[in-house]
Amino acid sequence: MVIAILVNATIIPILVRFLYDPDSRKYAAYEQRNIMHLKPDAELRILACVHTSNNVPAMINLLDLTCPTRENPNVVYVLHLIELMARNSPVFIAHHNHKSSTATTKSFENIIPFYQYEGNNWGLVTVNAFTVITPRKLMHEDICMMALDKQTSFIILPFHKKWSIDGSLEEENNVVRNLNCTILDQAPCSVGILIDRGKRQKLMKPSWPSSYSIGMLFLGGKDDREALILAKRMARDPRVKLTVTCLIAYQDCSNVVDWDTVLDTEMLKDVKQNNGVLGNGCDITYVEEVLHCGSQTIKLIRSIANDYDLMIVGRHYGVESVLLAGLSEWSEFPELGIVGDLFASMDLNSRVSILVVQQQIVLM
């Protein structure tokens, strides 16, 4: 009887927890909530998460690049996350507008620039801002619940590292890293991790005549297709010059075509032709690179890193490629995927910012 009680109290709960994890399916979405499956006239709903004031300029810069129009407006939900330290219970604050917020309060300082961004894009962007003061172990629930409740298609998370002006590493926050990893596993929509290496510190404004160079590496797979859809949307902005570099494995040139390859080819068709399907005036360049192995992939990344202001890559979750073989053993940040990790590496002498995209994981 004593042995039976010990088994029931120790081993069986461990087995149940191992075989069934309800938290991993708690926020699972059974319908498509991503950018790729948006209707042509649908608004793009984005959940932008910020922790400190350092996250704000890069986040607004990225939002500005999504090229909202009256036909395809943006609805941005801003979530300012603060770790609960001196309170007994979490606090949720909804900021109706920048006038009703107390500008002198430090927790509101990160919210006001987003309302200024809305004012600069009046009629094209709607901003709804919130502040959440919660324990670190519950932050992912606040993010996932808001994404589920607001039916967002894309969550943008800041990277856990901060670079200084001279390019050296200034700050690292492992709490943010653990949060990002949890969101990638449980998010009910697509997720992007924004790595700001400080190349462009100032916010872009619609009146600026300056150009903005964006590069996109395409290896194939659903994450790359999601990233390419976002890059195409950005290319509609007359300030943006987009270069799509498609990496092709040498031995794949004569392989049998599978369903993923068909989808990739269809997604790249209008980029190759650039026949006005994406909109008049789009500045898009398509480049193909045939490579043999992972070492050539590293060389290519190092050679093009300084050519762009922003690089967009897919996380390549669950994708195996000859061009990435052996590189995972050297990966420092698995949550970024292999390509994203190479761009975020301290060994890469570049100031380019990176957006790593993971398409929504749908449970069938």
Side-chain angles (χ1 to χ4, degrees):
M1 290 177 63
V2 172
I3 293 174
I5 292 173
L6 289 174
V7 170
N8 287 332
T10 58
I11 299 178
I12 292 180
I14 294 174
L15 289 175
V16 171
R17 197 175 296 114
F18 176 76
L19 297 174
Y20 175 66
D21 182 12
D23 291 336
S24 63
R25 305 170 67 92
K26 186 175 181 179
Y27 305 103
Y30 295 88
E31 58 182 283
Q32 300 286 357
R33 287 184 182 169
N34 50 53
I35 303 175
M36 191 171 74
H37 291 91
L38 280 178
K39 295 180 180 179
D41 58 344
E43 60 188 15
L44 175 60
R45 295 179 170 233
I46 301 174
L47 176 57
C49 301
V50 295
H51 299 276
T52 66
S53 58
N54 296 322
N55 305 144
V56 176
M59 192 69 69
I60 295 180
N61 198 10
L62 179 63
L63 292 172
D64 196 31
L65 287 170
T66 55
C67 193
T69 62
R70 296 193 180 276
E71 295 76 19
N72 302 105
N74 283 3
V75 179
V76 181
Y77 298 95
V78 181
L79 193 60
H80 180 207
L81 297 157
I82 302 176
E83 185 178 355
L84 181 66
M85 301 294 289
R87 291 179 179 268
N88 295 325
S89 59
V91 177
F92 183 87
I93 305 171
H95 308 283
H96 297 292
N97 54 59
H98 66 284
K99 294 181 180 179
S100 63
S101 299
T102 306
T104 57
T105 304
K106 188 174 181 179
S107 61
F108 295 148
E109 291 178 356
N110 298 332
I111 298 299
I112 294 175
F114 288 95
Y115 284 113
Q116 294 173 345
Y117 161 68
E118 180 188 30
N120 293 333
N121 296 272
W122 190 254
L124 308 178
V125 176
T126 303
V127 172
N128 300 278
F130 308 88
T131 294
V132 175
I133 306 175
T134 185
R136 66 176 67 176
K137 63 180 180 181
L138 298 179
M139 281 185 180
H140 70 282
E141 294 193 2
D142 291 307
I143 296 174
C144 291
M145 280 301 298
M146 180 162 288
L148 200 61
D149 181 57
K150 303 300 183 182
Q151 299 182 359
T152 61
S153 300
F154 196 49
I155 298 174
I156 306 177
L157 304 170
F159 193 50
H160 69 278
K161 284 190 173 186
K162 177 182 179 293
W163 278 264
S164 61
I165 297 177
D166 61 359
S168 61
L169 183 63
E170 182 176 318
E171 185 180 339
E172 186 172 0
N173 190 334
N174 286 324
V175 174
V176 175
R177 182 186 182 185
N178 294 333
L179 175 64
N180 291 349
C181 294
T182 305
I183 296 298
L184 287 170
D185 291 337
Q186 300 186 18
C189 61
S190 296
V191 181
I193 297 181
L194 177 60
I195 306 163
D196 176 29
R197 301 192 73 156
K199 185 168 184 177
R200 293 222 174 177
Q201 297 291 339
K202 296 182 180 179
L203 302 181
M204 292 182 64
K205 296 182 180 179
S207 59
W208 283 17
S210 60
S211 62
Y212 200 93
S213 181
I214 298 178
M216 199 255 157
L217 283 185
F218 191 92
L219 281 80
K222 64 177 186 177
D223 291 347
D224 274 12
R225 292 193 291 269
E226 184 80 354
L228 183 59
I229 286 291
L230 181 59
K232 288 179 182 179
R233 184 183 179 98
M234 293 179 176
R236 297 184 305 191
D237 192 319
R239 299 167 299 176
V240 170
K241 179 180 179 181
L242 173 65
T243 301
V244 179
T245 304
C246 182
L247 305 187
I248 302 174
Y250 178 76
Q251 57 266 46
D252 288 346
C253 295
S254 59
N255 276 2
V256 178
V257 177
D258 57 8
W259 180 242
D260 257 342
T261 305
V262 172
L263 294 176
D264 293 340
T265 303
E266 187 65 25
M267 191 65 64
L268 288 168
K269 184 182 297 183
D270 53 359
V271 177
K272 293 179 181 180
Q273 298 172 352
N274 195 14
N275 55 7
V277 176
L278 300 177
N280 296 326
C282 290
D283 190 351
I284 301 177
T285 303
Y286 176 77
V287 179
E288 285 188 356
E289 295 284 350
V290 179
L291 306 177
H292 294 77
C293 58
S295 61
Q296 291 188 345
T297 304
I298 296 176
K299 290 180 181 179
L300 177 67
I301 289 174
R302 290 178 175 174
S303 66
I304 67 174
N306 290 310
D307 296 340
Y308 307 104
D309 299 307
L310 173 69
M311 282 297 306
I312 303 177
V313 299
R315 188 187 175 207
H316 303 109
Y317 179 75
V319 174
E320 295 183 1
S321 173
V322 177
L323 302 180
L324 304 177
L327 300 183
S328 60
E329 299 176 2
W330 306 95
S331 181
E332 185 179 0
F333 309 113
E335 67 271 19
L336 299 179
I338 296 174
V339 177
D341 179 79
L342 290 172
F343 276 106
S345 173
M346 292 297 297
D347 296 332
L348 185 68
N349 185 20
S350 172
R351 303 298 304 279
V352 63
S353 296
I354 308 103
L355 179 65
V356 180
V357 178
Q358 174 185 281
Q359 193 183 65
Q360 170 202 22
I361 301 175
V362 181
L363 299 179
M364 299 299 185

